[in-house]
Amino acid sequence: MKKAIAVFSGGLDCTVATSVYAKDYEIHAITFNYGQKGFNQELKASREICEKMGFKHHVIDLDWLADISTSSLNTSEEIPEVDLKDLDDAEKSAESASSVWVPARNTVFTSIAASYAESIGAEIIIVGWDKEEANTFPDNSKEYLESFNELFKVGSPIDIEIKAPAIDLDKDEIVKLGYEVNAPMELSYSCYKGTEKHCGVCESCMRRKRGFKKAGIKDLTVYEK
């Protein structure tokens, strides 16, 4: 069977994206520990999803990334809380994104995934990058995806392609896609704060909430607020 690497945090986007390819590939999911507040819950979600879907699962520790980061995701800085109306406010979204930005995170993750892909002969790397978050996170954009794939054509001795099935989708469209491919979205974890229940007020939780609501699909997530 063809092999695939999935950059896998246990979040909504990567769960849906990986599920798109679950029937056609042997999935090797990689979860990264870079000192993020949500790691324990991300790991729990990732393990449960991988067990349910039959994915192979690997964990990679990136202590150095935690050491150099100034992000509120993996420092003592407080993670911003947002209102629903803030999600479409460019200035407020940019401020929130700046707070949680981890230096070159997706570049690091994807490069490591490429190493795995070359080592086992995987044809694709699956990521959860999406249109909605690309508005504030440039390493989720279609341009970034296309540029990375061009880099692989030049720099890898084997044919590897990054697949991002949500690259043109907003969160509600991702939820709809997840429903269509029977992704275990109820097991996924999106909260920046790392609380056992989703906090319900960080930007990631708010986008998740809104996505399910706009999609008209029941949200089984338990939120604190």
Side-chain angles (χ1 to χ4, degrees):
M1 197 174 193
K2 296 180 294 184
K3 297 176 182 178
I5 304 296
V7 177
F8 203 80
S9 68
L12 175 65
D13 303 332
C14 65
T15 297
V16 172
T18 306
S19 295
V20 169
Y21 297 96
K23 292 181 180 179
D24 298 320
Y25 288 84
E26 176 186 290
I27 306 290
H28 294 250
I30 302 175
T31 300
F32 293 98
N33 178 10
Y34 52 100
Q36 67 273 37
K37 293 179 173 77
F39 175 68
N40 288 336
Q41 295 302 324
E42 289 178 14
L43 180 60
K44 179 175 180 288
S46 296
R47 284 174 170 167
E48 289 178 352
I49 293 165
C50 289
E51 183 176 354
K52 180 179 179 67
M53 298 296 287
F55 303 157
K56 299 181 186 298
H57 186 231
H58 313 271
V59 179
I60 296 180
D61 294 320
L62 299 176
D63 294 340
W64 63 268
L65 187 54
D67 291 340
I68 67 170
S69 177
T70 57
S71 171
S72 60
L73 286 188
N74 58 356
T75 66
S76 60
E77 292 295 317
E78 191 170 331
I79 290 172
E81 297 183 359
V82 300
D83 294 321
L84 189 62
K85 64 180 184 298
D86 295 337
L87 299 182
D88 295 319
D89 184 312
E91 185 176 341
K92 289 184 178 178
S93 290
E95 184 179 339
S96 175
S98 177
S99 172
V100 300
W101 178 264
V102 177
R105 180 176 61 175
N106 279 351
T107 303
V108 171
F109 290 179
T110 310
S111 298
I112 292 173
S115 292
Y116 263 69
E118 288 187 3
S119 72
I120 67 170
E123 297 179 8
I124 64 172
I125 297 170
I126 307 164
V127 295
W129 307 341
D130 65 272
K131 178 183 175 183
E132 183 169 324
E133 294 188 9
N135 291 325
T136 46
F137 295 100
D139 59 357
N140 271 251
S141 68
K142 195 167 189 175
E143 181 182 13
Y144 180 78
L145 170 67
E146 292 170 349
S147 297
F148 225 126
N149 275 327
E150 285 299 315
L151 179 65
F152 283 157
K153 289 179 183 179
V154 176
S156 178
I158 68 172
D159 290 331
I160 305 172
E161 183 179 2
I162 304 171
K163 295 286 190 178
I167 200 70
D168 292 317
L169 306 182
D170 287 330
K171 200 69 68 172
D172 59 307
E173 296 170 309
I174 294 172
V175 171
K176 290 177 182 176
L177 175 60
Y179 183 79
E180 290 171 7
V181 300
N182 200 29
M185 295 184 288
E186 72 284 356
L187 297 179
S188 66
Y189 184 85
S190 302
C191 184
Y192 285 155
K193 293 192 176 186
T195 50
E196 185 173 353
K197 299 176 183 177
H198 284 68
C199 76
V201 290
C202 70
E203 183 177 347
S204 187
C205 280
M206 292 298 287
R207 291 192 183 280
R208 181 185 177 108
K209 275 184 182 178
R210 186 176 71 169
F212 275 98
K213 186 174 182 179
K214 287 178 68 176
I217 292 174
K218 186 175 182 181
D219 187 1
L220 300 177
T221 311
V222 179
Y223 299 98
E224 291 185 344
K225 296 181 182 179

